[in-house]
Amino acid sequence: MANLFVIPKYIFTGKDALNLASDNIKKLGKKALIVTDDMMVKLGSVKRLTDLLDSISVNYEIYSKVNSEPTDKMVSEGIEIYKNDNCNFLIAVGGGSPIDTMKAIGAMITNTGKITDYLGKVIPNDPPPLVTIPTTAGTGSEATQFTIIADTEKNIKMLLKGPNLMSTIAIVDPVFTSTAPPKVTAATGIDALTHAIESYTSRKAQPMSNIFALSAVKRIFKNLLRAYKNGDDMTARTELSIAALEAGIAFNNASVTIVHGMSRPIGALYHVPHGLSNAMLLSECLKFALLGAPEKFCDLASEIGGYKEGMSYIQAGKVFVGEVEKLCKSLDIQTLEEFGVNKGLFFKNLDKMTEDALASGSPQNTMRIPSSEDIKDIYKALWK
Ligand SMILES: NC(=O)c1ccc[n+]([C@@H]2O[C@H](COP(=O)([O-])OP(=O)(O)OC[C@H]3O[C@@H](n4cnc5c(N)ncnc54)[C@H](O)[C@@H]3O)[C@@H](O)[C@H]2O)c1
Ligand SMILES: [Fe+2]
């Protein structure tokens, strides 16, 4: 079977990656639109970038009104600045939210109509060059062809895609993640772990994505708790930033499965951050998925040293799922109840959530394809 494998054109990783990328950035044009959020401005992360741009005589404008739920309105505001100020390319500094917003702005510079017109379609025309600088070791958006934007009229999260939404340059410099507080480190790290596990156990997994998925799982198990406990541990931060990139590469080429499919409705209805809603679902979903891919879960157990000679695939898979549970516990992942979701409302919304989860198409990539009853049972199990 033939497979397509898509990655960014240039990837810079490790300490001082930003400096190493300067010649490549300079070639992209005279003026950049920087897309970011206020936190990145406050923390000095944007200044780190603008200092570099000043030193290589690249001009810039800054759009910093992104928050943790990117919307079509933010995209329109960004487009206006880009066009009014005659920018030539875009740079995102931030977590998945500013990166996704930047991709959508880029798409709408070269494509007609509104961003909401492209739901369910592939973005046709190439955007201007896109530079991504992730500040969370999480979404992997720096290496994906996806952007998730809320349609504020219909109140849904749109997943938009196109291979041309891939970064021209991904700069994965751990210095940008070092300021992430423990809660953000935990949730975004589990998001990356979810990408890696889902892509490895997906029906769409391919040899090239498997390499990146396994490597990401190993790095995350070794380093996530370390970075959570000590945000200044730069070895752990560096490893995690690479793991998130690997996991992004993996799921970009193999798709996500049941966890992400079920996670989006929780995010849309109760405003639970993306990584946290994945973390809440992870253990129950993996217990379900394990029965459809025991050999794959056994590989995952081996990767983290959980496989012992003589174990059956299922036994080893259970060890892996148990280790994921332990990790989530050590990271103090909140339950839905602790987050403040209303149980009555959650149960009232079960049918809609189940429909939306299945409509996303992601659960169907799981080796054991869930029925709507299965999905409902997993949602209910989150309240046990
Ligand atoms: N495009 C994709 O392939 C893809 C994949 C998964 C998720 N997503 C999307 O990404 C978004 C989530 O992104 P995220 O989890 O990276 O979080 P985020 O970008 O929403 O940021 C979460 C919070 O953490 C803060 N933060 C980020 N980096 C920080 C740092 N280094 N120091 C201090 N604070 C920091 C932000 O200011 C914000 O308050 C969601 O909208 C989700 O839908 C996209
Ligand atoms: Fe994700």
Side-chain angles (χ1 to χ4, degrees), residues 139 191 195 260 274 278:
T139 69
D191 186 26
H195 295 152
H260 272 74
H274 175 76
N278 283 339

Side-chain angles (χ1 to χ4, degrees), residues 76-349:
S76 304
E77 287 172 0
I79 294 169
E80 208 176 306
I81 302 175
Y82 187 97
K83 288 189 173 160
N84 287 346
D85 291 293
N86 297 315
C87 297
N88 315 109
F89 67 105
L90 296 113
I91 309 179
V93 186
S97 299
I99 296 179
D100 279 7
T101 308
M102 182 216 45
K103 289 181 184 176
I105 295 169
M108 296 318 296
I109 298 296
T110 49
N111 289 280
T112 54
K114 298 191 301 276
I115 185 77
T116 47
D117 299 340
Y118 292 90
L119 179 62
K121 297 180 192 155
V122 172
I123 306 279
N125 300 330
D126 288 352
L130 308 174
V131 181
T132 47
I133 308 179
T135 64
T136 58
T139 69
S141 184
E142 67 274 15
T144 76
Q145 55 188 319
F146 308 111
T147 173
I148 300 165
I149 302 291
D151 176 338
T152 48
E153 259 175 42
K154 295 194 182 132
N155 204 13
I156 51 163
K157 278 194 168 192
M158 304 180 291
L159 175 72
L160 305 161
K161 64 176 179 184
N164 48 21
L165 294 184
M166 182 57 79
S167 308
T168 314
I169 305 177
I171 301 170
V172 183
D173 189 330
V175 74
F176 287 96
T177 62
S178 62
T179 48
K183 262 193 181 173
V184 171
T185 303
T188 54
I190 292 290
D191 186 26
L193 179 65
T194 310
H195 295 152
I197 299 172
E198 292 201 279
S199 46
Y200 191 68
T201 57
S202 162
R203 284 180 179 270
K204 295 184 180 161
Q206 52 159 307
M208 289 297 294
S209 63
N210 287 342
I211 298 167
F212 287 90
L214 287 177
S215 175
V217 168
K218 197 169 173 176
R219 281 189 212 277
I220 293 167
F221 265 92
K222 276 196 179 150
N223 295 287
L224 180 51
L225 201 53
R226 269 177 70 174
Y228 174 70
K229 288 192 170 155
N230 175 13
D232 294 327
D233 182 337
M234 286 314 288
T235 307
R237 291 288 194 191
T238 305
E239 286 290 294
L240 278 182
S241 68
I242 292 174
L245 166 71
E246 290 174 319
I249 291 174
F251 92 85
N252 184 57
N253 292 285
S255 294
V256 284
T257 63
I258 185 168
V259 187
H260 272 74
M262 291 184 65
S263 171
R264 286 185 210 109
I266 295 183
L269 291 174
Y270 317 107
H271 307 286
V272 179
H274 175 76
L276 182 56
S277 55
N278 283 339
M280 289 167 170
L281 282 158
L282 194 54
S283 154
E284 288 303 323
C285 285
L286 294 187
K287 280 184 209 157
F288 174 87
L290 166 62
L291 300 180
E295 224 179 309
K296 291 275 191 148
F297 278 92
C298 177
D299 291 345
L300 292 169
S302 300
E303 210 59 39
I304 61 162
Y307 173 77
K308 301 279 173 295
E309 220 182 300
M311 276 183 180
S312 68
Y313 292 147
I314 289 279
Q315 280 170 334
K318 282 186 179 162
V319 170
F320 179 74
V321 176
E323 289 301 320
V324 171
E325 270 177 347
K326 260 194 236 160
L327 179 61
C328 288
K329 234 185 215 125
S330 314
L331 295 169
D332 309 310
I333 295 298
Q334 288 172 299
T335 60
L336 284 166
E337 195 170 9
E338 286 161 353
F339 186 80
V341 175
N342 180 299
K343 187 175 178 185
L345 184 65
F346 188 92
F347 276 76
K348 207 173 126 208
N349 282 332

